[in-house]
Amino acid sequence: MKLSSTSMVFSWPRLAALLIKEFIQMRRDRITFAMMLGVPLMQLVLFGYAINNDPRGLPAALVALSNDHYTRAMVTALETTDYYRFGHVVESAAEAERLMASGAVSFVVTIPSDFARRVDRGDNPQILIEADATDPAVASGAISTLSTVASEALLREQGRQQVADEEARSRLEVIVHRRYNPELISQFNIVPGLLGVILQLTMVMMTSIALTRETERGTMENLLAMPASPLEIMLGKVLPYLVVGAVQVVVVLAASKLLFSVPFVGSLLLLLSAILVFVLALVLLGYTISTIARTQMQALQLTVFFFLPSILLSGFMFPYRGMPGWAQLLGELLPLTHFLRVIRAVMLKGAGLQSIAPEIVWLVGFVVFFAAIALARFRRTLD
Amino acid sequence: MNAIDVTGLVKRFGEKTVVDQVSMQVGEGEIVGFLGPNGSGKTTTIRIMCGLLTPDEGEGRVLGFDLRTESLKIKREVGYMTQKFSFYEDLTIAENLEFVARLYGLFPVRTHVRRTLDDLGLTTRRNQLAGTLSGGWKQRLALAACIMHHPKLLLLDEPTAGVDPKARRDFWDEIHQLARGGLTVLVSTHYMDEAERCHRISYISYGRMLTTGTVNEVIRNAGLTTFVVAGARLNEVAAALEGRPGVEQVAPFGATLHVVGSDAEALRHSLAEFDGREGITVTPGETSLEDVFIQFMADAKDNMG
């Protein structure tokens, strides 16, 4: 027997056989193929433009019970923050209440009729801002800017520019530097994260049906009767998807530059190496699922089962540090969590290998862990 | 050395014992037919022999390799044709063969594939997707793929189910030609004519091997006596014979009745009163393989309650 085929565990020609077969099948399955390339682009454009964590121009209603210059100044000041857009000016609190209940407005600003009088008398003037806090994210930014904006506007309007300046000078000054993303543009955070999410969804889903598809079509019996080793079968199944992943990465990175102008300050090579490890972990996770699931349906269910916590607990949707300790612990066990830290650090902060090394170690750990489980779970017989 | 030499194979799925103490010896170059009703354990036994299932008990050697510890070596030397078509339907005929050739390390791949295509007359259809082939062509492709690496043992699981008679005959000619070249073949089937084309047959029922031998041996060992009843209004005769002492099978064959029983004396006695009545003749007949198998199946059912 020829030397090349004497190894029981691994031989290049046998791996080549499996790879070629997989690529041909991929090419024949046009819909899936189109999905693998089209879905990432679609999701990127859709979510990249749609998701915004610091919403502005929110609809607001004004209940102005008098129409003096203080009131007008106040409204102008609020509008210039960009958070409020006064589309409704109403006469009564009841009408404003109805607008908020129906969801037509997110804020109701009430300026009482004695506002001007109190200002002039220096008698603790008040305005009421009611926020629809059913979605806390909507309200927080708009509310946080309020008190300073309002008081400064009032002082200026009273002709006490000097006092305003003085007050501003003597007030405790808190200097805030918004590093890496000074304008708080959500896309800078969302778009790199989307790359991770898109890879997680497509890579795991495609590979999770790798073995169950063979079983359901009845080709598994034949494959097992032929001399292919578990390692070769695993590599033959996951490597083609590494190539698909590479195409997705190029598409998403190019789009994030062209469409969203996301800054890229770190090393591209470092990022691509990290992505390679991440994608390898994902395809092996998918393959592990396919050694557990008995049908393609079960495989897809398991994929979703992994996907939901991945987007919710990884820090993609919600701030990671804001989660309770146990949830953070769970998050650590998801490859996406570590990948998000890597890609945000490299793209936005220009982090080097040294600062992302712990995350890379985690990702390599996932690769080894999933590969070990998959090989251990692989059934070489039909028992 | 026997190509197959296994003893006391037992395979259980949960509570159910599917293969029960099966032993089998098949010599090199022999064609052995593997018969038995549906669900009798034929497929399971074949799968054990090619290493796809591990037996719960029993041991043996296939092509000199240990069944339990050397299944990878067995896989390289065995060609296994599954009951259901199990090549890739979304690959063309040539692509499927190339896949197999690379897996078995047959180089140059192109040459091996071309030769196989020529041998089986599939060259003109090489670029057709396997999924679009008819049953007969699928079977040819499957056979081509599993003899490509020149196995020493061919395991065929109901290879001709759903294949027309002409294709079946071609298929068997091919099998005999391969056997003359020294290939050993174990083939499961439901067809009596196919059983008769085998050098030897083994009959399995409810996981137990009931008999093995040449067709004539199996018939002889069954100890059945058969009479052929000819004449008019055989329906009535058949109805009257049913349940008589010694009468175990009454089966119409064209214009005659085959009456079979294991107690020759009782059978003769029961038939005596019909002989000569209303132009009816009773003559001793040849017991066929089918009669024997029907008897086996009836007996097995009795045993199982």
Side-chain angles (χ1 to χ4, degrees):
Chain A
M1 191 151 281
K2 282 170 289 308
L3 190 72
S4 62
S5 50
T6 44
S7 169
M8 290 282 179
V9 182
F10 184 80
S11 98
W12 286 108
R14 288 202 299 260
L15 179 59
L18 291 159
L19 288 176
I20 292 168
K21 176 218 117 198
E22 203 69 27
F23 274 119
I24 295 172
Q25 287 186 307
M26 214 186 260
R27 204 185 65 212
R28 296 262 153 79
D29 191 357
R30 294 257 163 90
I31 294 178
T32 308
F33 197 60
M35 230 170 66
M36 287 188 288
L37 297 182
V39 165
L41 201 59
M42 213 177 65
Q43 290 187 334
L44 180 73
V45 170
L46 197 63
F47 298 138
Y49 281 118
I51 297 179
N52 192 345
N53 287 333
D54 188 27
R56 315 226 172 180
L58 298 164
L62 179 67
V63 187
L65 300 172
S66 70
N67 188 16
D68 50 87
H69 61 112
Y70 289 125
T71 305
R72 286 194 300 274
M74 199 55 72
V75 170
T76 314
L78 289 176
E79 272 190 325
T80 50
T81 62
D82 276 354
Y83 283 110
Y84 307 91
R85 186 168 45 77
F86 289 100
H88 302 265
V89 177
V90 296
E91 300 294 318
S92 70
E95 200 180 341
E97 178 72 32
R98 195 181 47 74
L99 281 170
M100 181 170 291
S102 70
V105 298
S106 301
F107 298 96
V108 173
V109 177
T110 307
I111 300 179
S113 55
D114 62 350
F115 184 66
R117 204 164 56 244
R118 280 177 170 237
V119 172
D120 286 338
R121 276 205 311 236
D123 184 16
N124 194 19
Q126 289 177 317
I127 62 172
L128 172 68
I129 300 202
E130 293 160 285
D132 177 356
T134 47
D135 184 350
V138 172
S140 66
I143 294 169
S144 67
T145 57
L146 250 174
S147 60
T148 44
V149 167
S151 63
E152 277 177 23
L154 198 54
L155 286 172
R156 285 203 182 88
E157 192 54 32
Q158 283 175 301
R160 293 153 70 184
Q161 183 68 40
Q162 208 186 334
V163 181
D165 291 347
E166 257 169 41
E167 201 151 283
R169 221 173 293 130
S170 63
R171 202 190 311 122
L172 169 66
E173 192 179 5
V174 179
I175 301 170
V176 178
H177 280 192
R178 290 165 164 173
R179 304 264 318 265
Y180 312 122
N181 185 4
E183 291 151 278
L184 294 181
I185 299 173
S186 287
Q187 270 94 2
F188 290 4
N189 184 40
I190 294 292
V191 171
L194 266 180
L195 174 60
V197 171
I198 290 167
L199 285 172
Q200 159 104 31
L201 182 64
T202 48
M203 293 295 107
V204 178
M205 193 189 286
M206 296 299 165
T207 45
S208 72
I209 58 169
L211 286 181
T212 44
R213 192 178 56 188
E214 298 260 357
T215 311
E216 279 183 25
R217 290 185 184 175
T219 51
M220 196 64 183
E221 187 177 359
N222 209 349
L223 189 60
L224 288 176
M226 293 193 279
S229 75
L231 179 67
E232 288 156 358
I233 293 177
M234 181 175 85
L235 291 177
K237 284 292 181 189
V238 303
L239 291 185
Y241 292 97
L242 222 54
V243 176
V244 175
V247 176
Q248 293 190 341
V249 169
V250 171
V251 167
V252 174
L253 284 183
S256 61
K257 194 81 206 159
L258 296 173
L259 296 179
F260 301 105
S261 310
V262 176
F264 196 123
V265 288
S267 150
L268 181 63
L269 187 69
L270 179 63
L271 182 63
L272 291 181
S273 319
I275 292 176
L276 184 72
V277 182
F278 174 60
V279 173
L280 201 54
L282 292 180
V283 291
L284 287 170
L285 168 63
Y287 187 77
T288 305
I289 290 177
S290 85
T291 63
I292 296 166
R294 294 205 168 268
T295 62
Q296 296 193 34
M297 183 55 91
Q298 280 180 5
L300 292 180
Q301 286 167 343
L302 276 169
T303 302
V304 174
F305 174 76
F306 273 96
F307 184 65
L308 270 181
S310 286
I311 52 172
L312 296 179
L313 301 182
S314 64
F316 173 72
M317 280 264 208
F318 308 113
Y320 185 78
R321 297 289 164 211
M323 300 191 302
W326 59 266
Q328 291 193 20
L329 213 64
L330 271 180
E332 292 287 341
L333 301 177
L334 301 165
L336 186 59
T337 308
H338 300 277
F339 177 72
L340 288 181
R341 289 179 196 159
V342 169
I343 191 169
R344 282 172 183 163
V346 174
M347 272 184 91
L348 305 178
K349 302 181 192 170
L353 177 60
Q354 204 144 25
S355 43
I356 60 164
E359 313 301 335
I360 300 287
V361 169
W362 269 99
L363 289 176
V364 171
F366 286 122
V367 170
V368 175
F369 179 65
F370 292 139
I373 296 188
L375 285 175
R377 284 223 32 114
F378 185 81
R379 292 175 294 259
R380 200 162 207 178
T381 59
L382 297 169
D383 288 281
Chain B
M1 185 192 73
N2 281 332
I4 296 177
D5 196 341
V6 295
T7 44
L9 293 184
V10 174
K11 182 71 193 175
R12 299 183 197 91
F13 292 119
E15 292 285 287
K16 200 163 182 279
T17 304
V18 180
V19 172
D20 194 3
Q21 296 294 334
V22 166
S23 302
M24 191 181 247
Q25 280 75 37
V26 179
E28 254 176 78
E30 239 188 328
I31 301 177
V32 173
F34 202 14
L35 291 103
N38 292 326
S40 56
K42 297 191 297 289
T43 300
T44 306
T45 308
I46 289 179
R47 282 176 173 173
I48 290 173
M49 297 204 193
C50 62
L52 280 179
L53 289 173
T54 11
D56 294 317
E57 285 170 35
E59 49 225 288
R61 303 182 89 77
V62 172
L63 298 170
F65 299 119
D66 188 275
L67 205 55
R68 291 174 180 277
T69 57
E70 295 176 300
S71 69
L72 280 181
K73 288 179 183 159
I74 295 175
K75 280 179 188 178
R76 275 197 201 166
E77 309 272 339
V78 168
Y80 170 45
M81 185 169 158
T82 53
Q83 195 168 339
K84 184 177 166 286
F85 181 74
S86 59
F87 284 89
Y88 297 95
E89 304 214 331
D90 48 354
L91 261 56
T92 65
I93 293 174
E95 284 163 353
N96 268 303
L97 292 175
E98 283 161 12
F99 173 65
V100 174
R102 286 197 188 92
L103 265 190
Y104 283 100
L106 306 173
F107 299 108
V109 170
R110 207 173 279 273
T111 318
H112 278 87
V113 170
R114 196 174 52 224
R115 194 182 305 144
T116 308
L117 286 169
D118 283 346
D119 285 352
L120 283 140
L122 284 166
T123 307
T124 52
R125 291 168 170 259
R126 66 195 315 273
N127 291 323
Q128 190 174 337
L129 288 184
T132 64
L133 291 171
S134 66
W137 283 106
K138 273 186 180 164
Q139 177 237 34
R140 296 190 78 148
L141 170 60
L143 181 67
C146 67
I147 59 173
M148 215 177 161
H149 62 291
H150 305 291
K152 292 182 182 145
L153 171 65
L154 202 49
L155 300 171
L156 308 170
D157 195 1
E158 294 186 21
T160 55
V163 170
D164 68 51
K166 169 75 169 69
R168 258 172 62 189
R169 171 157 307 177
D170 292 347
F171 180 84
W172 275 94
D173 288 347
E174 173 87 25
I175 296 295
H176 272 275
Q177 206 177 322
L178 290 165
R180 275 196 295 278
L183 180 71
T184 310
V185 182
L186 176 64
V187 51
S188 76
T189 180
H190 282 301
Y191 300 111
M192 294 308 136
D193 61 318
E194 291 191 346
E196 283 167 357
R197 284 167 167 270
C198 297
H199 300 140
R200 269 194 313 130
I201 54 173
S202 286
Y203 188 90
I204 188 173
S205 175
Y206 292 100
R208 285 173 177 278
M209 193 73 92
L210 294 186
T211 185
T212 184
T214 64
V215 172
N216 287 335
E217 281 167 2
V218 168
I219 294 174
R220 201 162 52 237
N221 293 343
L224 294 179
T225 309
T226 299
F227 286 95
V228 177
V229 181
R233 298 201 297 191
L234 287 173
N235 297 351
E236 290 167 27
V237 179
L241 278 171
E242 212 66 74
R244 292 277 183 123
V247 177
E248 284 159 15
Q249 288 181 45
V250 181
F253 269 83
T256 61
L257 278 182
H258 281 210
V259 186
V260 184
S262 45
D263 186 342
E265 212 36 60
L267 184 63
R268 194 169 292 128
H269 190 78
S270 293
L271 280 167
E273 56 183 285
F274 292 91
D275 196 6
R277 199 206 287 181
E278 297 167 39
I280 286 175
T281 58
V282 177
T283 48
E286 291 268 312
T287 304
S288 72
L289 195 56
E290 184 167 296
D291 298 330
V292 175
F293 289 155
I294 301 286
Q295 195 71 21
F296 279 148
M297 283 160 99
D299 291 351
K301 216 169 279 167
D302 292 347
N303 291 344
M304 288 321 232

